[in-house]
Amino acid sequence: MGRVTRTGTSLARLGLTEPWAEATLTALGWWSGDRPAAGAEPIMWALARSPDPDLALRAAERLVAAVPDRPAFDAALRSDVALRGRLLALLGSSTALGDHLVTHPDRWHRLTGAARPDPSGYAAALLTAVGADPSAPPAGSAAGGRAGLTGVEAIVALRTAYLDELLVLAASDLAAVGEPELAVLEVDDVAAHLSDLAAAALQAAIAVAAAEAFPNGDDAGGGRLAVIAMGKCGGHELNYVSDVDVVFVAEPADADAAKLAARMMRVAGEACFEVDANLRPEGRQGELVRTLDGHVSYYRRWAKTWEFQALLKARPIAGDVELGAAYLDAVAPMVWSAAERDGFVADVQAMRRRVEDHVKPEIAERELKLGRGGLRDVEFAVQLLQLVHGRTDDALRSPTTLAALAALSDGGYVAREDGANLAASYRFLRLLEHRLQLQKLRRTHLLPAADDTSALRWLARAARLRRDGRRDAVGVLLAEWTRNARRVRRLHEKLFYRPLLSAVSRLPADTARLSEPAAAARMAALGWASPEGALGHLRALTGGVSRAASIQQTLLPVLLDELSGSPDPDRGLLAYRRVSEALAATPWYLRLLRDEGLVVSRLMKLLGTSALVPDLLVRAPEVLRLLAAPTAGQADELTRDPAEVAASLRTTVARQHDPDTAAATARSLRRHEMLRVACADLLGMLDTEQVCAALSAVWVAVLEATLASVQRALSTGPAPATISVIGMGRLGGAELGYSSDADVMFVCEPANGATDSEAVKYATTVAETVRRRLGAPSPDPALVVDADLRPEGRSGPLVRTLASYAAYYARWSEQWEAQALLRARPIAGDADLGRRFVALIDPIRYPAAGLDAAAVTEIRRIKARVDAERLPRGADRSLHTKLGLGGLADVEWTVQLLQLQHAGDLPELRTTSTLEGLREAGEAGLLAAEDVAELVTGWSTATRARNAVMLVRGKPGDQLPRSGRELAAVAAALGYPADGDSGVFLDEYRRTTRRSRAVVERVFYGW
């Protein structure tokens, strides 16, 4: 070890910055001039390694002044490395224990090399301190021992003895901070020592309480009282400063037993630590003591899930030994069957969320215990796994978190790497918690604020963290805290499911049948409706020794965790299996899921909600890449501009020379785009108008591209006709849904000297070829080109010339056809011909004189007939999105009536869009602003709901489900919480459409 020789800055380099430091060191004989005094160099280096050298030096000065034999103390400090490391690290870490040592200076002998913390001697030391006989039966049992001291004298004696033992333990815990060569006392060993010390303190406290409560020895005829530790003390993992949670069981549970329990709590609280009995049955409102039968009766009839979780750590630590053991034997079967309770897993998860929600936002990032990635994340995950799997595996029934985690790992319920990482992070967080509490012996779980550099530096040094070449000690501390918190949170979120997967994939084929019932029971406890089916999917996905199976074993815990929050996790798991099997030969599929966390989250939500998405995904796997988080500075691919998509589709199809290939390419690109829109819709990234516009844009692009490819294929010279495709219905209004057909009309005009007959023949061939190629059977969603809105419907010619349309509308047109033409707009083919068709029909659909009363009556009559005849038998009119009250038809007919009445005078109403028509009607004063809002909301809600039905079922439907998982999935698709009450969605849907219907009745029907 090199000597410190530089004057002026040498003490600062050792961390001693106070102006009085040099004089103090010189007076102590540890410093001479500009260097350590002879033989004191080891002391100076140990002092420099102390978390706060100035604090340690000031406390050492006070201690030296108080010790009765200063030469002996000084000699020991120079020669005993253990004393030096323990003492100076302790004095720089804990002001409270430093003060205790100064008050009792002879205690320094307990820190020498030969001294060790001895849990086997804790009870004897504390009982002796209060004048109780350690060999007598424990206080609280029949003829149990009593303390010789009572009152203030007993409390002072117990406090001093407790701090004496705590002093030795803390010094041993910190020894390696002051002298790195000394052995490190692991944080779980420290926690076990603290638990044993707390148990000893309660044994001494109940001895004092017995002496105070029954001074004459008349302890109510030999009544018995057992003290059951709960929480961290019960789990053998207590902190330096913590309440000790207890439950009292007594025979009989009378006033004397209650008096003894209450007095014990007071004695322990004044001497050592607070004793909290609020985990007893009925909490603070319940009786302080109960009989064993009283406890058992309560837990059987009234206990909540959290109470069984708390009982997992129950351990008798004081009072009557036999009664404590009987209590443990009685409650254990109930603890290990608690996971069979309905909603058990959901209750535990909700409890963890409530704990997080109660953390104040301003301290959440510094909360070691309760925040995200904190100690509670580890403890809740481990306890849930214990309670679920400990029913059939006794090895998991340890009340100690780290021991239980090790058992879970050894048993294959948790991957060894995950178990080791979680344990390491837990130990790190507990170490920080211990150091923070030691400082002033106060209960705290908060890291110092980010701007409190001195406090952070002290904590880093107390935790034996040093600079790493890139960062100082504070930087290392903050980086380690962040890394461990993130790791804890990640592992917490996956460990609910890892155990079952590991067990299923590890079973040999000849024994799998034997263990399936147990595995199915576990899956049921985790909330799956069909555990047997889920197990089959898991075995199929993780079986074998392939690389894919290995990655699946890594992925599935996270995937299942995500799926558990979806409306139908069983169907989602089946869909995931289908997708995985279909993409088994796709090399990037599993890598994408493994490396992109957002893909996993998004995909599981989609698969657990929608039947349409997996059907499309197996044929358009490339869309999975769009689920990844966008690169910084780039837009999310899921919200790509529909116009850009349409242009790309037309360009790609145009490169295909074969018309069949061109049509197949167009359909493939439509499948891709439909899946993209569905994903963005379900993930809440597109609103209703954007979804409709995107679906309409791709349909238009498909028609344009296919029409062009067919015309190229049929061309052997100048074409005999120009052709225009007129969009009708929802296609014309750019309001297509996932299940909408493409309503169109075909118009042609002779070209290049051809006759009308030749033009129509050619155009009909083109139109029929387009319809046939797009409507051919295929695994893709159907592309139905519907021309039934043409003149004379199905009986009329598929294609007419512009002149023929003019003649028909002039002579034969009916009112419903004028109404249908309100949605007509050119979407493909010859643009000029399309414009002239629009000019032809404008006077028909926008009559200059509006509508007379007879025409209005006729429209209302037709609407009433449609409502009566087309609504399916048994349909619920309040939940039918198309023909139901206040639904799509109601709103659309209302807008169209206003257009027929007023668009001749108001050009602003001349739009094919329902929503735009509503807004323009409001601007023109035809509708009140409130009415516009109700109709827009009603139409949008019905459209979204209709789309959601298609997304969820994978097939068209206008009727909303009334209950069950399908309703939950529809509600989730619309943005309602998957774990909420889906009836809320139905109530809101009915309320919205009821308001819309009220406007329709007033505006359309004139009621």
Side-chain angles (χ1 to χ4, degrees), residues 26 30 34 44 63 150 223 225 270 316 336 342 354 356 362 379 430 466 556 609 726 755 791 818 860 947 991:
T26 302
W30 298 348
D34 61 354
M44 292 302 301
L63 178 60
T150 58
L225 178 70
E270 293 183 15
W336 299 113
D342 290 341
R354 286 195 296 271
E356 284 184 35
E362 60 269 23
E379 292 160 359
R430 288 299 302 273
R466 296 290 184 264
L556 275 164
T609 305
I726 309 300
T755 64
R860 289 170 176 166
N947 282 342
R991 183 164 53 250

Side-chain angles (χ1 to χ4, degrees), residues 524-539:
L526 290 171
W528 298 82
S530 176
E532 296 80 4
L535 286 170
H537 300 321
L538 299 182
R539 281 193 296 272

